[in-house]
Amino acid sequence: MSIEISNVTKRFGDFVALDDVSVSLPTGQLTALLGPSGGGKSTLLRIVAGLEKADTGRVTIEGVDATRMSPQKRNVGFVFQHYAVFKHMSVAKNVAFGLEIRRKNKDEVRARVDELLKLVHLTQFADRLPSQLSGGQRQRMALARALAVQPKVLLLDEPFGALDAKVRKELREWLRRLHDEVPVTTVFVTHDQEEAMEVADEIVVINDGRIEQVGRPDQLYDRPANDFVMGFLGDVTQLGEVRLRPHDIEIALTPDLAGSVPGDVLRLTRIGFEVRLVVGTEDGREVSVVTTRAHARSLELDAGDRVWITPSSGASTVPAMKSLLAG
Amino acid sequence: MVELSTPAKWALRLVAVAYVFFLVGWPVINLAQRTFADGWTAFVQTFQDPDVTHALLVTVEVSLWAVAINTVFGVGMALLLVRYEFPGKRLLSALIDLPMSVSPVVIGLALLLVYNGRDGWFGPWLESRGITVIFSSPGMVMATCFVALPLVVREVVPVLEEVGDDQEQAARSLGGNAVQVLRRITLPSIKWAVVYGVVLSLARSLGEFGALKIVSGNLTGRTQTAPLVVEQKYTNFSPDEAYALSFVLVLISVLCIVVVSALRPKESSE
Amino acid sequence: MTTAVLSQDTRTVGRGRPGVRSTLTRGSALGLGVALLWFSLLVLIPLAAIVATAGGEGLRGYVDTLTNPQSWAAIKLTVGQSLLVTGINVVMGPIIAWVLVRDRFWGRGLLDLVIDIPFAMPTIVAGLVLLGLYGPQSPLGINVSNSRPSVALALAFVTLPFIVRTVQPVLGELEADVEEAAASLGAGRLTILRRIVLPAIVPAIAAGAALSFARAISEYGTLVLISGSLPYKTEAVSVRVLSFIEGGDRTSAAALASIMLGVALAVIIALDVVQRRVARRG
């Protein structure tokens, strides 16, 4: 295991950012720390980097106890949400910074900088100032700068958070490919579940200073440990006493299926290939159901129709919050 | 953020505080001590001297005129520089700052050369129409205007830029005419900047010395201003009166600073 | 309170390029006309009068001024002491700004306030105040009056706020993550200060230094009481100009004044260049 975090607690005044957190982040993998903002994920990342000190607990990086180590000595690469470019230095100088600190000889620095600029596709921008780059380019430069010193781990704090949707998507795919090319242990913080699901090998869901669940993206999606994880990783609706995903509900015009519940179609919206329905059941609840356009057409569904709905076989469900509390 | 080691932090703190204390703090405290060394008597006597009270009145009158003129000019110029495009704008913007770097003595000389009644460029012509500029109030107001010229403009310009013209456009689209937009949208949004500018200009105007020494003629009981009295009293061996008057002038300038720093929104949001 | 006046690096006025189309309306054009008329009568024509008077006898006015040993001594003194004081400010200004922005201690607010006093205090009073502590009746036993150090002291007093107030906002806006990035790349404290913080505030220091130098060479009021204005020893240029005026020698006064004007203009142009370079960096 590459990064071991044991019993870490961090408070800011009265606010508990991390509450006795323990987790192992595996070597060579791309791990996402996922959760709502203010949940403690950035604090955890900053503690790993040494930019923040834990009140209690231990951090081990590649078997070395780093708990009391300064950020300078940890040899981690850190990428910030707002790029943290060195404004007065050219792109090449930015990338060379860590190497110059380590007093590498000039030829070595130049060769390494060239190599990295090529890797992040910024070779032709080497002599520009960061202010002449777009947001996406700046973040690629920041990534090259962090990678230049061959860090043991690469930490990214909401790296795509300040970019617009299209660039975000491009960069996220590019990060995945980059990680496959340069397999350095990478941890990135995000509040975007789609980003985490698409990029990460493993996801750590953090909420309210605690770890809710750790697992592969499909594990988390299909077998969420609790209501929070389920809700955070996708849409959720409640049918009877269970909570489940709207696309995991079968819809029929007849009460043929065992355990099906009758209801009326209150609203119906077509979005691209899918159709979203709101079904009012007899207990007064509104249940969201998602089905394909073809299926909806074959049933000739429309608002006001009476339908019977039931969880489809193999649907991932968790008990509804109320019964959870009661239990 | 870089955290300095504790000794380094204390060393810097000590250096900064000591430097400012010995350069400004202690001298100012020392002035207060001297002013009241023998109680209030000398202080009270100073302000019973008709030359002193007259000089204070002249100072206030000239300053108020200059501040009023500079406020109108400053707000108008700021609006022109921010809201309009015209050839030569950049040059004009740079020239507005010029008075900040011109010696008060040079300012006095410049006005003297143009407006003196004997051989100035415009002086004799104005004199023949009954207007005396040099050694008289108009010249003193002009000199004071000159030294404090950029202060209002420089306060208002950044605020106007930050506010943008969205609100003005909205008001215009709702049928507001130019005067209504100016009075109901633009002026309220730059209100505080104008207030800072006015207070700064006032402090600068009340204290002007070099330029006024030249254009006022320094005539006791007529055109002499308070700072000029300070010099005269000190060099004529009445240091107590010089201290007392200085103390009042320092008090006014400190008051101006306190007002501005209390009004100004805190820039360092933490 | 000098912040807005001095932090000119934030100003963006003057984007107008040559040949730019005017957007003036009839009302605003009238306003501009009146403003320009006033500005000309108040500033431009009088300053032109100085240059015209100085050049009235060709270059002779300038040559006479520069070859007059007393005037030359005044120029040397003023420029020398102004450079010295600007040098002191270049060191002390950023230190004070740093303490004001990054340090937290009781009395910091007061320190911040006191910095502005020299800006608001009447110059003649400033001279008197300094004379009280560093004059013949000094409670410290230090008497610098009528000596060269008194000139430096007076100039240091009046120029105190300049670099502090230009550096302070820039230091305050430095993003923490930039320094953190440098730290995680292995840069120690001194390296971060030298390679990240210092380059970021150098333009502000330069701007403040230019303003401070311009103010120092033009200072008059503060020097009157404390320097004694001894010819060849403590007489500053502005004092010399005034004694020319009082002596009725307006040509010499104007020649010396126009040299000072030239320096002031050069400083403003230098400032503009620095600021445009910074603006490009973004």
Side-chain angles (χ1 to χ4, degrees):
Chain A
M1 285 298 176
S2 177
I3 304 173
E4 291 280 354
I5 294 155
S6 18
N7 308 102
V8 164
T9 296
K10 175 74 183 174
R11 284 187 187 80
F12 295 104
D14 288 339
F15 177 71
V16 182
L18 293 172
D19 184 8
D20 195 26
V21 166
S22 299
V23 66
S24 305
L25 307 174
T27 303
Q29 291 211 7
L30 217 168
T31 308
L33 303 182
L34 175 67
S37 30
K41 53 195 193 309
S42 281
T43 307
L44 185 60
L45 196 75
R46 289 171 62 84
I47 285 174
V48 174
L51 299 174
E52 216 78 70
K53 282 198 180 66
D55 298 335
T56 57
R58 267 161 47 100
V59 176
T60 316
I61 300 172
E62 298 283 8
V64 181
D65 185 354
T67 312
R68 263 166 246 292
M69 209 182 264
S70 73
Q72 284 87 350
K73 301 219 171 73
R74 293 195 184 202
N75 200 22
V76 298
F78 202 99
V79 174
F80 297 80
Q81 178 173 6
H82 297 287
Y83 330 127
V85 296
F86 303 145
K87 284 183 193 168
H88 57 283
M89 298 181 194
S90 68
V91 170
K93 277 278 171 197
N94 262 275
V95 176
F97 186 83
L99 299 167
E100 286 173 1
I101 295 292
R102 285 164 178 71
R103 303 189 186 287
K104 300 274 194 250
N105 76 49
K106 275 200 178 121
D107 294 334
E108 201 182 328
V109 171
R110 198 175 309 126
R112 180 90 181 117
V113 169
D114 285 348
E115 182 189 333
L116 278 153
L117 288 179
K118 208 162 164 192
L119 187 72
V120 299
H121 309 296
L122 287 175
T123 307
Q124 71 273 38
F125 298 110
D127 297 322
R128 297 242 184 127
L129 285 174
S131 59
Q132 296 166 298
L133 302 184
S134 71
Q137 289 168 333
R138 280 184 222 190
Q139 198 58 299
R140 272 164 25 212
M141 182 197 85
L143 206 64
R145 184 176 70 182
L147 286 172
V149 295
Q150 293 176 308
K152 281 185 285 189
V153 294
L154 179 63
L155 308 173
L156 305 100
D157 189 2
E158 297 268 7
F160 313 129
L163 302 168
D164 63 51
K166 191 164 169 288
V167 182
R168 232 182 132 98
K169 214 164 161 56
E170 279 169 20
L171 268 192
R172 165 204 298 180
E173 283 161 19
W174 176 81
L175 176 69
R176 180 68 242 182
R177 268 180 290 143
L178 183 81
H179 183 262
D180 296 337
E181 274 176 60
V182 189
V184 52
T185 306
T186 304
V187 184
F188 78 103
V189 159
T190 180
H191 63 266
D192 179 344
Q193 38 89 16
E194 199 185 312
E195 189 167 289
M197 305 274 277
E198 191 179 320
V199 179
D201 298 315
E202 186 164 271
I203 297 177
V204 178
V205 182
I206 301 181
N207 180 39
D208 262 347
R210 273 186 290 264
I211 290 180
E212 301 280 356
Q213 191 175 4
V214 181
R216 293 196 317 276
D218 50 349
Q219 279 177 336
L220 260 58
Y221 192 81
D222 295 338
R223 288 192 295 283
N226 55 38
D227 200 36
F228 175 82
V229 174
M230 182 160 201
F232 201 76
L233 262 66
D235 292 334
V236 179
T237 191
Q238 186 168 342
L239 177 55
E241 289 310 307
V242 297
R243 287 168 67 76
L244 73 173
R245 306 220 178 274
H247 60 74
D248 278 345
I249 294 177
E250 293 268 351
I251 188 160
L253 295 174
T254 52
D256 294 344
L257 286 163
S260 62
V261 177
D264 298 316
V265 176
L266 301 178
R267 288 187 294 279
L268 182 147
T269 323
R270 292 187 188 85
I271 296 157
F273 60 89
E274 64 177 40
V275 176
R276 296 181 190 172
L277 306 150
V278 176
V279 177
T281 53
E282 283 170 345
D283 55 3
R285 283 218 178 84
E286 293 194 351
V287 182
S288 306
V289 182
V290 172
T291 183
T292 64
R293 196 158 187 170
H295 188 56
R297 198 182 292 138
S298 71
L299 299 178
E300 293 176 356
L301 282 178
D302 215 337
D305 287 353
R306 166 132 292 223
V307 293
W308 275 262
I309 52 178
T310 180
S312 56
S313 61
S316 48
T317 61
V318 294
M321 204 55 128
K322 204 166 49 180
S323 49
L324 196 75
L325 285 175
Chain B
M1 293 251 189
V2 185
E3 281 281 339
L4 296 181
S5 63
T6 312
K9 203 150 89 180
W10 274 95
L12 283 186
R13 193 185 293 178
L14 189 73
V15 167
V17 170
Y19 184 75
V20 174
F21 179 70
F22 280 101
L23 193 60
V24 184
W26 197 353
V28 170
I29 294 168
N30 184 53
L31 172 77
Q33 284 171 337
R34 273 173 198 251
T35 307
F36 297 106
D38 305 316
W40 282 83
T41 358
F43 189 78
V44 173
Q45 265 170 9
T46 304
F47 294 95
Q48 284 165 348
D49 180 339
D51 290 348
V52 172
T53 47
H54 184 267
L56 274 171
L57 276 178
V58 171
T59 301
V60 169
E61 198 187 325
V62 166
S63 300
L64 289 181
W65 272 107
V67 168
I69 293 170
N70 274 350
T71 306
V72 173
F73 174 83
V75 173
M77 195 49 106
L79 281 169
L80 287 165
L81 288 176
V82 177
R83 291 286 185 265
Y84 297 95
E85 290 298 331
F86 50 88
K89 190 171 106 162
R90 197 191 150 82
L91 179 71
L92 183 61
S93 170
L95 282 175
I96 295 279
D97 284 333
L98 190 62
M100 291 289 287
S101 318
V102 177
S103 171
V105 175
V106 176
I107 293 171
L109 174 65
L111 292 173
L112 191 69
L113 290 174
V114 175
Y115 294 104
N116 84 74
R118 201 163 43 85
D119 57 359
W121 288 7
F122 304 152
W125 183 81
L126 287 167
E127 205 110 304
S128 68
R129 274 154 190 76
I131 304 168
T132 312
V133 177
I134 298 301
F135 304 147
S136 160
S137 313
M140 294 166 72
V141 172
M142 285 182 85
T144 311
C145 275
F146 194 141
V147 295
L149 189 74
L151 295 174
V152 175
V153 184
R154 286 295 157 235
E155 286 288 336
V156 175
V157 160
V159 176
L160 267 182
E161 283 178 341
E162 203 177 302
V163 171
D165 58 356
D166 296 357
Q167 297 177 51
E168 288 164 24
Q169 284 177 1
R172 231 169 275 133
S173 76
L174 293 167
N177 64 36
V179 176
Q180 286 170 323
V181 171
L182 181 72
R183 204 167 56 82
R184 301 186 53 169
I185 306 294
T186 315
L187 291 184
S189 66
I190 57 172
K191 183 173 58 185
W192 290 116
V194 175
V195 172
Y196 310 142
V198 165
V199 178
L200 286 173
S201 302
L202 192 66
R204 188 82 176 78
S205 303
L206 291 172
E208 182 42 37
F209 177 74
L212 285 180
K213 190 173 178 179
I214 296 169
V215 300
S216 75
N218 203 359
L219 309 169
T220 306
R222 285 178 51 209
T223 61
Q224 199 172 42
T225 63
L228 293 169
V229 171
V230 171
E231 186 201 15
Q232 196 191 40
K233 292 290 180 195
Y234 189 83
T235 45
N236 290 351
F237 308 105
S238 324
D240 290 346
E241 289 187 53
Y243 289 137
L245 187 51
S246 293
F247 180 78
V248 170
L249 292 174
V250 169
L251 216 59
I252 295 171
S253 59
V254 170
L255 202 69
C256 288
I257 300 171
V258 172
V259 166
V260 168
S261 73
L263 288 179
R264 193 185 289 285
K266 289 284 157 260
E267 275 136 304
S268 51
S269 50
E270 286 148 45
Chain C
M1 73 193 242
T2 45
T3 317
V5 182
L6 300 179
S7 60
Q8 303 189 341
D9 49 339
T10 55
R11 87 181 173 186
T12 45
V13 163
R15 271 185 244 118
R17 274 150 277 121
V20 87
R21 186 73 59 82
S22 160
T23 59
L24 293 170
T25 57
R26 194 184 295 171
S28 55
L30 183 69
L32 182 63
V34 173
L36 282 180
L37 181 67
W38 172 239
F39 190 61
S40 305
L41 287 173
L42 185 69
V43 178
L44 298 181
I45 295 173
L47 292 183
I50 287 189
V51 180
T53 308
E57 296 164 44
L59 281 177
R60 235 198 61 219
Y62 293 102
V63 175
D64 284 355
T65 308
L66 290 172
T67 50
N68 176 313
Q70 195 181 336
S71 300
W72 181 240
I75 292 174
K76 270 203 312 197
L77 172 82
T78 308
V79 171
Q81 297 298 309
S82 298
L83 284 175
L84 172 71
V85 164
T86 304
I88 293 173
N89 286 335
V90 164
V91 177
M92 290 309 301
I95 290 179
I96 296 169
W98 175 276
V99 169
L100 286 175
V101 173
R102 295 282 175 100
D103 207 353
R104 290 287 168 273
F105 59 95
W106 185 87
R108 191 179 58 105
L110 186 66
L111 180 68
D112 202 10
L113 206 73
V114 171
I115 298 292
D116 279 329
I117 288 182
F119 189 81
M121 191 189 278
T123 51
I124 186 74
V125 174
L128 188 70
V129 157
L130 288 173
L131 201 55
L133 195 63
Y134 302 104
Q137 296 162 18
S138 166
L140 290 169
I142 303 169
N143 181 5
V144 297
S145 63
N146 307 340
S147 71
R148 266 162 198 265
S150 75
V151 177
L153 179 69
L155 299 183
F157 182 92
V158 292
T159 57
L160 170 71
F162 288 85
I163 294 185
V164 177
R165 292 304 188 222
T166 46
V167 171
Q168 208 179 349
V170 179
L171 209 49
E173 276 166 27
L174 272 190
E175 290 137 10
D177 58 5
V178 176
E179 288 165 47
E180 289 173 350
S184 78
L185 288 167
R189 253 178 241 153
L190 281 178
T191 312
I192 296 177
L193 284 179
R194 194 171 52 82
R195 295 205 45 190
I196 306 297
V197 178
L198 199 58
I201 61 172
V202 158
I205 295 176
L211 289 168
S212 157
F213 181 74
R215 176 70 202 262
I217 60 157
S218 60
E219 185 50 32
Y220 171 70
T222 319
L223 296 170
V224 172
L225 295 180
I226 198 167
S227 78
S229 303
L230 308 171
Y232 300 102
K233 197 173 163 221
T234 61
E235 189 183 42
V237 176
S238 51
V239 178
R240 184 94 179 115
V241 172
L242 198 86
S243 57
F244 276 133
I245 297 171
E246 283 171 343
D249 184 358
R250 289 193 185 154
T251 311
S252 299
L256 207 48
S258 59
I259 291 171
M260 292 173 78
L261 263 182
V263 177
L265 263 177
V267 166
I268 285 184
I269 292 167
L271 250 183
D272 206 55
V273 170
V274 168
Q275 264 143 30
R276 254 186 296 170
R277 196 168 295 171
V278 174
R280 207 161 41 110
R281 190 195 285 173

